Amino acid sequence: MSIKKVTLLIIIILLIDQISKLYIKTHFQLHESLEIFNWFKIYFVENDGMAWGTTLSDIIPFISESTAKLCLTSFRILAILGIGYWLIHSINMQVSKTLILALVFIFSGALGNIIDSVFYGVLFNDSFGQVASFMPRDGGYDKLLFGNVVDMLYFPLWQGNLPEWMPLIGGTNFIFFEPVFNVADVAIAIGFGILLFFNKKAFPKKEENI
């Protein structure tokens, strides 16, 4: 893939991700939802940590939440720089299109969420009991690098009580699929899915001369 095609695809993914987040942030209050189908809802939540709402302070209890947030955002920035370098190197080396495509999705998704983490805290006020404003006069809800990631895609495909005979979790209410995510997360999942299911095409073995 050429650098022009890669750049265009990255821009398209970022635009879809950021436009959807900007719309949700400026039209929904936090935890407000809109049912599209009984198995799909737009549900506005904000994630200040890692996957599944986990924060670094949950794993390392002796550091503060603000320090954990700064460490996480810094790590994300370093990770995206590494992925970007890998992507550019792969394009220059003309490796398989499958690998480049996977890296494009992963890079775009990671960059989309980093934009939230780095800038949203200063670009918006909070969404608690109100619809947030873009560039409010009184300033944002937090400092640079301390923003929250906007999530909104919710697919509760099935909800019900688990059978009583199941150990430990029997009788409890269960929702499948419970996590709320965004377009950037979908892009990252697609990228890793390509690497997982098309691994041989992404990393073809070089034929050895006999």
Side-chain angles (χ1 to χ4, degrees):
M1 294 179 69
S2 66
I3 189 68
K4 289 184 178 179
K5 290 182 179 180
V6 166
T7 302
L8 179 60
L9 185 54
I10 290 173
I11 291 173
I12 291 172
I13 295 172
L14 280 177
L15 282 176
I16 296 173
D17 176 64
Q18 288 300 308
I19 289 173
S20 65
K21 289 173 177 176
L22 289 171
Y23 180 84
I24 294 298
K25 188 69 178 170
T26 56
H27 288 79
F28 285 69
Q29 297 181 21
L30 194 63
H31 302 304
E32 185 178 352
S33 65
L34 173 65
E35 183 173 299
I36 308 301
F37 304 104
N38 59 358
W39 48 268
F40 171 49
K41 298 179 181 179
I42 301 297
Y43 179 40
F44 175 30
V45 299
E46 289 185 316
N47 180 7
D48 62 350
M50 298 178 288
W52 318 104
T54 305
T55 61
L56 195 60
S57 55
D58 294 331
I59 303 172
I60 309 174
F62 57 83
I63 65 174
S64 66
E65 291 187 6
S66 60
T67 302
K69 176 67 177 178
L70 181 60
C71 290
L72 179 59
T73 302
S74 300
F75 172 78
R76 283 172 169 168
I77 293 173
L78 291 175
I80 196 67
L81 290 175
I83 298 170
Y85 174 80
W86 187 11
L87 175 58
I88 293 172
H89 178 73
S90 298
I91 296 171
N92 291 335
M93 295 299 293
Q94 297 183 349
V95 300
S96 71
K97 292 182 180 179
T98 303
L99 175 59
I100 294 175
L101 185 63
L103 291 176
V104 165
F105 276 103
I106 295 172
F107 177 84
S108 302
L111 183 57
N113 284 335
I114 285 174
I115 290 173
D116 298 27
S117 298
V118 174
F119 298 109
Y120 274 31
V122 296
L123 293 179
F124 298 97
N125 51 5
D126 69 76
S127 301
F128 293 100
Q130 64 178 2
V131 174
S133 300
F134 181 70
M135 296 294 289
R137 292 182 179 180
D138 297 332
Y141 63 82
D142 216 322
K143 302 184 294 293
L144 197 69
L145 303 178
F146 286 86
N148 296 328
V149 176
V150 174
D151 294 326
M152 79 293 289
L153 302 177
Y154 181 40
F155 289 85
L157 300 178
W158 181 86
Q159 181 175 1
N161 293 326
L162 296 174
E164 294 289 346
W165 54 263
M166 297 183 68
L168 300 179
I169 58 174
T172 58
N173 189 265
F174 179 75
I175 300 175
F176 181 85
F177 178 73
E178 190 171 14
V180 185
F181 51 97
N182 56 43
V183 175
D185 297 328
V186 174
I188 294 172
I190 291 174
F192 279 109
I194 292 172
L195 292 179
L196 179 63
F197 293 105
F198 301 97
N199 185 270
K200 290 184 179 180
K201 288 186 177 181
F203 303 99
K205 293 182 179 180
K206 295 182 180 180
E207 297 182 0
E208 295 182 0
N209 295 326
I210 299 176

